[in-house]
Amino acid sequence: MRVTFTANGKPVEADDVWEGESLLYVLRERVGLPGSKNACEQGECGSCTVYLDGTPVCSCLVAAGQVQGREVRTVEGLADENGELGLVQQAFVDAGAVQCGFCTPGLLVQTDALLDNDAQPSDTDIREALSGNLCRCTGYEKIMDAVRLASARKCAKAASE
């Protein structure tokens, strides 16, 4: 089947999609957006998190046919219009929260969603928001630092506008 949807603001068409293919597979293998990672294929790790119509979802659990006519935003879509790292992405780099990078795409999308809903989350709010994202490299402290940094920068930017 053919699946047509919007990915990061651009129309996308994927041909020869099998009904059982995941959105993750279509994004990585058919559309050329490899940012979301394939780690567990069970929705347990969060590495494949993308926005689907503005809501974070594990793309490994979404059947490709379910995205027909819908809006998908991946970690690649968090960059600004010029392709420069977005606020959350830059905060993760600056805080040293990127290690092997496998969990990073899902953490970035989930952090972006958190800060869209609460620009100044508490540590408890951050832990809750990221609880579905597993990282096997860190003790999560650098990730927490990155979210706090992104929050501070987002608030400073809003105050200056």
Side-chain angles (χ1 to χ4, degrees):
M1 76 176 163
R2 173 177 289 157
V3 179
T4 305
F5 59 100
T6 304
N8 301 326
K10 297 177 181 152
V12 172
E13 197 172 89
D15 289 319
D16 300 322
V17 175
W18 170 63
E19 290 116 11
E21 276 181 28
S22 68
L23 171 58
L24 175 61
Y25 184 87
V26 169
L27 289 171
R28 290 180 57 81
E29 305 299 330
R30 298 192 183 276
V31 179
L33 293 170
S36 303
K37 302 302 180 203
N38 185 1
C40 74
E41 295 183 343
Q42 297 176 3
E44 296 292 329
C45 72
S47 294
C48 67
T49 303
V50 300
Y51 284 107
L52 179 59
D53 293 335
T55 302
V57 297
C58 290
S59 61
C60 70
L61 297 180
V62 177
Q66 291 179 290
V67 301
Q68 179 66 37
R70 298 174 76 182
E71 170 69 35
V72 175
R73 187 170 170 220
T74 68
V75 67
E76 291 96 338
L78 298 181
D80 70 17
E81 301 82 37
N82 300 322
E84 299 293 320
L85 294 179
L87 185 139
V88 172
Q89 293 167 314
Q90 190 62 57
F92 268 67
V93 170
D94 294 345
V98 178
Q99 291 199 13
C100 83
F102 222 73
C103 66
T104 306
L107 286 165
L108 289 169
V109 172
Q110 203 62 41
T111 297
D112 186 71
L114 169 65
L115 296 180
D116 278 351
N117 291 319
D118 182 358
Q120 293 182 295
S122 68
D123 283 359
T124 301
D125 294 334
I126 296 168
R127 285 186 188 96
E128 177 67 26
L130 302 182
S131 65
N133 296 79
L134 301 179
C135 176
R136 293 173 177 90
C137 296
T138 72
Y140 292 93
E141 198 53 43
K142 295 244 186 234
I143 295 167
M144 295 289 292
D145 291 344
V147 178
R148 291 184 203 110
L149 181 58
S151 171
R153 287 178 176 171
K154 183 170 185 163
C155 290
K157 182 178 177 183
S160 71
E161 293 178 344

